[in-house]
Structure formats: C-alpha cells, structure tokens
Amino acid sequence: MESDYDELDRRLVHALQIDGRAPFSAIAEALGVSDRTIARRYARLRSTGAVRVLGGVDPTVLGATLWFLRVRCAPAASLPVAEALARRPDTSWVSLTSGGTEITCVARTESEADSEALLLAKLPRTPRVQGVTAHCVLHTFYGGPDNLVGKLGSLDAEASERLRPPPMPHRPGPVRLDDGDRKLLALLATDGRAGFEQLAAATGWSPTTVRRRMTELREHRLLHLDIDVDWRMFGVNARTLLWLSAAPAHLEEAGQALARHPEVAFAAATTGPTNLYASVLCTNQQELYQYLTTRVAALPAIEHVETAPVIRTVKQAANQA
C-alpha cells in the first residue's frame, strides 16, 4: 500500500528514473541524505520487489515488429491461454482484461513470415480461442525510455537537473548482436545496475569493453535504462487499456496530447480497428471516470474510445505497453 512507502522512497525512485545507474553518492547529494541511507533504502525496495532498475531493449531497432494482440476466449479458458502466451519468448505484458474474457499481450515478430505464422497459424489453433484482433505498432508517442515515474515523481527541477546525465548522441546505422551482446543484455534485463566487473564476467569481455559496448548500444537506441516499480508507491492502483480512433488528419496531434497526460504510461499509433492505444494508470475507477470525461474527451477528433480494465497481469516486461 502507499502507506508502506514514504517521500524519500518516492524521491529515490524518481532519481533512478532519471539515471538508473547513477552512483548512490550522487543520488544522496541530490536528495540531501547520506550515501548509506540511499544504499539501505534501495536494497530494501529492491529486495521486496518495489523497484528494480532494468535494461530495456527496443526490438524495432533490430528490425522486429511489435503487435498488440487482443485474444478473446471463454472465461474458463482465459487464464490457461494467457499462461501459454506468457511462456512464449516472443511475448510481453500478457494481461487479463474486460472481466476475464479477453487477453491482451505484446508480441514481437522478427520477419513477415513470423508475423504471418503468429497471426494466421499459431494463435487461431490455440484451443478455445474465439477470435484475435491484431494491432501493429506504427509509432510510439510515450514509452520505452520514458517512464510514468517522470510524471509522478516529486523531485524539484534543481535536483532533477543535477542527476540528469548528458544527452546521449544518436548513432545511426544497423546494429548486429553477437553472443557477448546477448549475454550483456540478458544480465541487464534482470539488473540494470549490475557492475562492470559483473557484466565483464558474464560476457568474457574486459570492464572497459563492457562500458564501451553499453554506450554504443544506448547510442543506437537499442538499450535504455528503465525501472519496474510498485505503482502503489505513488497511490496508483487501477490500470486500464484504451483503444481509441482518431481522424487520420489529427492522429499525430491526438497521440502527442495523450503522451503529455500524467495518467498515460504508454501511448502508440497502431493499425487495426482502432488507430491509437494507451495504457493508463489511475488511483481508482472514479479517477478513471474523471480522466475519460475531461482529458480524453478534449482530445482532438476522437471518434471512438473503448476501455479495458486490467484485472490481472500474467507477464510483464520493462516499460512495454
């Protein structure tokens, strides 16, 4: 519950959102407490699963395609089907929504052939699946390296600027991964603050090589630092998925407006029956109602809104959907 956390916890999490690998000494200085206090707080929050710093990967940089899949099935079949989807290595954010009659997940395909196999062969043959709607992600307005903590956090501008690392230059061109890269990304996916010595041991590289390669992958926008947090720390309890339709001439404007909403954790333009998707976090259903009837109602040229409350998350991955 929110009462299990205090303001220092929230400020620490906000600091980690700004720079997930910032030294505890730098965070302590910005927050006006001792290094030991920050180290102790982080250890407690991490051990209880309240916060984790993770290395997130954008698979589209490697040429992959992301899909939002809405899988309809009988209520009795929804959990077994969701668990089967969660076991697949190409899925993330598998959730039960709409009273348990629908599963929403993010699926990654590496090629057109993969997309065809997933959408036309594998899923429809899953027992007790009644229908599948697929939405290809065309453009992300908010998500990836952006995290809702940046909107909810309580650090003032001075402390935030003190912690903010220099802008990462963009390195264009293709990215090719070898076995060392995959080992590096796998370890960072579980602990984004893993030390260079630990990463070197896992990859067989020197710490200097690890540092250089991490910088290269971040400059390519393949790797970013993210945090997984217990949202109750910020008084947030209800997650709802929104499927919206906007007139094409206003799609960009509506998507950018969604991205600025403090309730929106992820927003993207998609193909499919609707062309905008958002993942929204609110304190409760009354706050959701206020959000829908004020901010969403004011969006330009929105023609349709469908809400799908999340009743259970079966699988999640860093800052996707």
Side-chain angles (χ1 to χ4, degrees):
M1 303 295 294
E2 183 182 3
S3 59
D4 294 335
Y5 307 105
D6 62 18
E7 183 61 17
L8 181 56
D9 292 328
R10 290 184 280 274
R11 287 164 57 83
L12 170 55
V13 169
H14 192 183
L16 291 169
Q17 185 272 327
I18 295 171
D19 184 359
R21 292 183 66 88
F24 288 147
S25 58
I27 296 175
E29 182 180 356
L31 271 57
V33 296
S34 69
D35 299 12
R36 186 174 179 180
T37 296
I38 292 299
R40 187 170 61 247
R41 284 295 182 108
Y42 177 72
R44 177 177 62 82
L45 292 172
R46 191 174 189 276
S47 67
T48 59
V51 66
R52 294 184 303 156
V53 177
L54 308 171
V57 171
D58 182 354
T60 64
V61 174
L62 299 173
T65 300
L66 292 179
W67 296 85
F68 289 115
L69 303 180
R70 303 180 69 179
V71 183
R72 296 178 301 283
C73 52
S78 59
L79 184 56
V81 173
E83 290 174 339
L85 285 169
R87 288 192 291 270
R88 294 174 58 108
D90 56 356
T91 64
S92 60
W93 280 113
V94 180
S95 302
L96 297 179
T97 65
S98 304
T101 61
E102 185 171 281
I103 302 159
T104 302
C105 78
V106 179
R108 180 187 71 255
T109 58
E110 309 295 339
S111 65
E112 278 191 34
D114 283 348
S115 298
E116 182 176 336
L118 176 69
L119 302 175
L120 300 182
K122 294 178 182 177
L123 278 175
R125 292 177 183 173
T126 303
R128 295 178 287 182
V129 168
Q130 298 174 344
V132 179
T133 305
H135 302 252
C136 178
V137 177
L138 300 175
H139 177 75
T140 299
F141 296 106
Y142 193 85
D146 300 315
N147 189 289
L148 190 61
V149 170
K151 299 176 180 179
L152 302 179
S154 56
L155 286 183
D156 59 31
E158 181 182 352
S160 297
E161 194 57 37
R162 192 180 306 174
L163 287 163
R164 198 175 313 282
M168 188 72 66
H170 181 229
R171 184 188 293 255
V175 184
R176 293 180 177 84
L177 302 181
D178 60 21
D179 287 342
D181 291 321
R182 295 183 184 92
K183 292 174 182 175
L184 173 66
L185 294 174
L187 182 51
L188 288 171
T190 61
D191 183 6
R193 289 185 64 87
F196 290 115
E197 294 288 348
Q198 182 183 356
L199 295 167
T203 58
W205 298 339
S206 69
T208 300
T209 300
V210 168
R211 186 189 296 268
R212 176 180 53 79
R213 188 54 174 160
M214 280 182 64
T215 298
E216 290 173 353
L217 294 176
R218 293 185 71 182
E219 289 176 349
H220 278 294
R221 304 297 190 260
L222 174 68
L223 172 67
H224 62 268
L225 294 176
D226 193 19
I227 56 172
D228 179 26
V229 63
D230 180 352
W231 291 110
R232 294 175 300 176
M233 185 183 305
F234 294 92
V236 171
N237 298 286
R239 178 168 170 252
T240 304
L241 311 184
L242 303 186
W243 307 92
L244 310 96
S245 294
H250 295 278
L251 180 60
E252 175 71 16
E253 182 185 359
Q256 294 289 355
L258 265 178
R260 291 191 292 270
H261 291 177
E263 299 86 354
V264 170
F266 185 92
T270 71
T271 63
T274 57
N275 57 8
L276 268 176
Y277 164 88
S279 177
V280 172
L281 290 166
C282 294
T283 301
N284 51 40
Q285 298 306 319
Q286 182 60 33
E287 185 178 288
L288 173 64
Y289 174 78
Q290 294 293 331
Y291 172 65
L292 293 173
T293 56
T294 55
R295 296 186 198 277
V296 174
L299 289 173
I302 293 296
E303 302 165 345
H304 168 82
V305 179
E306 182 180 352
T307 60
V310 173
I311 62 173
R312 181 172 176 178
T313 299
V314 181
K315 180 182 181 179
Q316 66 185 54
N319 208 37
Q320 296 248 355

